[in-house]
Amino acid sequence: MGKTIIISNRLPVQLQISNGKINAVPSVGGLATGMKSVHSGGESLWIGWSGLTDEETPPELEQDIDAALAEHGCAKVTLNATEVDGFYFGFSNRTIWPLFHYFMEYSEFELDFWETYKAVNQKFADAIIEKSEDGDIIWVHDYQLLLVPQMVREKRPKTSIGFFLHIPFPSYEIFRTLPWREEVLEGLLGADLIGFHTYDYERHFLSAVRRILGLEVNFNDVFVDNRVIKVDSFPMGIDYKKFRKAALDHDKNKKSDLQERLDSHKASAPDTKLILSIDRLDYSKGIAKRINAFEYFLNKYPEYKEKVRLIILAVPSRSNVPQYQLLKKEIDELVGRINGELSTVNWTPIWYFYRSLPFKSLIDLYTSSDIAWLTPLRDGMNLVAKEYIATRTDKTGVLILSEMAGSAYEMNESLLINPNNFEQQADTLNQAINMPKEEQISRNTFLQNRLERYNVEVWANEFMKALKDKSNVALNTVVAKKVTDGILQEMGKKYRAAKNRLLFLDYDGTLAGFHKDPQKASPDGELYELLDKISAQENTTLFLISGRDKQTFGRWFLPKKYNMIVEHGVWISKNGEEFKMLEKVKGEWMEKIRPVLESFVDRTPGSFVEEKNYSLAWHYRNTDPDFGDKRASELNTVLRSLIGNDDISVLNGNKVMEVKSSNVNKGRAAIRMLSENDYDFVFAIGDDWTDEYMFQELPDSTLTVKVGFQKTHAKYYVENTKRVRELLKQFE
Ligand code: GDG
């Protein structure tokens, strides 16, 4: 097993320059702590930006910086001020952050931001490529680096790449407004494992992948060419022990100034309640709405005037971004107005701090507050909620938490609210103030047990375990062998050495790609040339074998005199002769089934019925993918109840459901052709379920090849139609 490389926008250490000397101080953030078990010893490297732009870095200290970082297992990516502007303050925080938090109106679609974002992502990727080798495990973090997985994959195909998104992934309806939506999804799909905080973010992502890229998704697996990408949810925890210990020590140690102030407030009015909120000053956190809701509460329940106090700690954040400056102004004015209107000689309703406090002060606030009131409008997880509960060593305290925070899914025992519903919040504050101690203890016991169990270390380890398992499983999932260049040549050799050859080639999805309109998927010049060459060879019988109708194939291929089996085996044409019936089939059932399919067309926009001589096909490639699949399974049920024991069957193809006589399939047709002569080389290739009949029924010695990385009875697989042609060129 190789080394582990962690990559995030910022490194888990802060650089401090004093008296011309460099010092690297470890950060105390949740991520840095959680990754301790992953980032330890000499086998791990953390790559990120140091926080100093090129302009701020004295050139003579370059080497010292590298050495200081190396001591913490870190290596830096250098960024100049223009890059930080476009990449971090620009695309990351003025495009992705608002869009992914459902603030569409704040999201700026600037080409310049995007170009810088791409270039900087490439810089991060290059740093990984330079420092990594095959067999390494790479874990990429968060929305600043969405393109990195694919950029690394291109140069390091044999590394395991994991990606974790710390913010929400929005619904398809929001995500699709992004002009660079395809590139972002493709960037992420370079990973082997993509993690989100919640199942909802996971399903939004999968839906975007299906709808925007049209890729096949099976449960939480995404199929791309020859790779399967796993998507899963890993709710991030906190360093529970650290918060608990800090809270226990807090009572023993000397009191801070803040604690003195909190205590004197409590002593002067013993029955008042402290309500706490802590967030970065960010519009996604709903701070302004919370202040408005507090005013609403005091108007609805005036008896609490002078009895409650709201403490707001707003930590300065991204103050270079205009939206954050506006928000700061709005909050300053709101707090000013409400305090101005409602304060009395003894009481200020809101204590407002706009600053970052030391960790110890955070613990003072958590342990002194009766209620934590967190109302994000959207929040990937929200760790403050978890930290507040962890510090409640006597298990008292009430958490009021927005349903829009990822943590709400795991913190059901808290009081969950909709941050837009002031009436509900006012009533919930009233409920929290009056909640009996036993109830508080009972709720918090559940919460604490869960937080202790699923802490941040477990989170990091679970992700790493899934990533490692994924690399092992990837080798085992597909039973078919990939056609490597070596196997390709081997097949060519066998072909040339054979005395009498028989080939079955499926058309759609094998020799040609799919088209929205099947009539447009006509053969190109290169394909004709390839087929001409093969079918002109001595002792070689080539069959195009397809579910298509005989008119279309007649038009495309009859003049070429290729052998053809169409409609899954109903019709056959050899050497340019007219089509003859290969299987005797009855078609009376079609009158009954046609109206059923037509009713599905009416109710499923984008689908249509193709009528062949002895079968009916309902195509749903152009429908909404989720809706199309749902309708297909509905149609399957309806058809099965209708056809009973009749001699007809339903075939589930690639985005097509075909109803046809049971005694017709490609396998049966292929066997009949095989029995007509002695062949010492038999080859069959195809992409969907209708081809599986051939793979199953042809003798074991047949070279069977599936197009696409899916479960199959074929012995080999190739990635795509391009590779099919490369393979067939061996037979020219
Ligand atoms: C992003 C996602 C997701 C806060 N004030 C001070 C301080 N903090 C610490 C808290 C907590 C952290 O900052 C804030 O974490 P959150 O999770 O609440 O929010 P974001 O910063 O927006 O984080 C979020 C998270 O990533 C992890 O994936 O949960 O949804 O938006 O740990 O304790 N720490 C100190 N002084 C402060 O004044 N020392």
Side-chain angles (χ1 to χ4, degrees), residues 589-591 593-595 597 609-612 614-618 657-660:
W589 57 267
M590 291 172 83
E591 294 314 309
I593 300 293
R594 191 183 297 108
L597 298 188
V609 173
E610 184 189 358
E611 182 152 356
K612 306 181 194 176
Y614 290 96
S615 75
L616 291 169
W618 179 69
M657 283 185 74
E658 186 146 6
V659 193
K660 57 171 201 51

Side-chain angles (χ1 to χ4, degrees), residues 368 370 699:
S368 305
D370 306 284

